[in-house]
Amino acid sequence: MAKLALINRDLKRARTVAKFAEKRAALKAVINDATRSIEERMEARQQLQLLPRDANPCRLRNRCGLTGRPRGTFRKFGLARTKIREAAMRGDIPGLIKASW
């Protein structure tokens, strides 16, 4: 089980990303628009740098929905590999069976 503080920190980051998503997209559009003047694009870069670091979506971390484990998480299930294995052994995930050859 991950520390509750780390889980809450990730949730806070997710809220920050959602809060600034529209503003970041607008600034990135100005930066990537070649028809704009250099001054406008530089101003947009400066405004983007003034946003909080946690507003960047690449700072989010996928975590297990049950344990909060940050590594070995499968996007399809939202669970860590150990919890997927346990659920598969119990038969909770339809169509998922243990491989044997």
Side-chain angles (χ1 to χ4, degrees):
M1 186 75 183
K3 289 186 178 179
L4 192 59
L6 299 179
I7 296 170
N8 289 336
R9 185 185 306 160
D10 274 348
L11 293 174
K12 183 178 177 184
R13 280 188 184 140
R15 286 193 303 268
T16 306
V17 167
K19 179 179 176 183
F20 289 100
E22 190 175 323
K23 189 171 186 178
R24 278 184 62 84
L27 289 172
K28 297 275 277 184
V30 171
I31 291 169
N32 293 329
D33 188 6
T35 62
R36 302 274 184 138
S37 69
I38 294 174
E39 291 79 19
E40 283 180 309
R41 293 168 75 186
M42 289 297 287
E43 179 63 28
R45 283 192 190 105
Q46 289 176 348
Q47 291 298 319
L48 187 65
Q49 288 178 354
L50 291 177
L51 293 179
R53 281 187 179 190
D54 285 341
N56 194 342
C58 73
R59 290 178 67 96
L60 292 177
R61 183 78 182 184
N62 290 336
R63 288 187 174 269
C64 176
L66 297 176
T67 62
R69 180 181 166 86
R71 296 178 184 235
T73 305
F74 287 71
R75 291 180 185 181
K76 184 174 182 178
F77 303 107
L79 298 173
R81 58 186 171 78
T82 55
K83 292 300 173 183
I84 289 175
R85 185 174 189 277
E86 289 173 8
M89 293 299 162
R90 286 192 310 262
D92 292 343
I93 303 174
L96 191 65
I97 56 170
K98 185 179 178 194
S100 64
W101 58 90

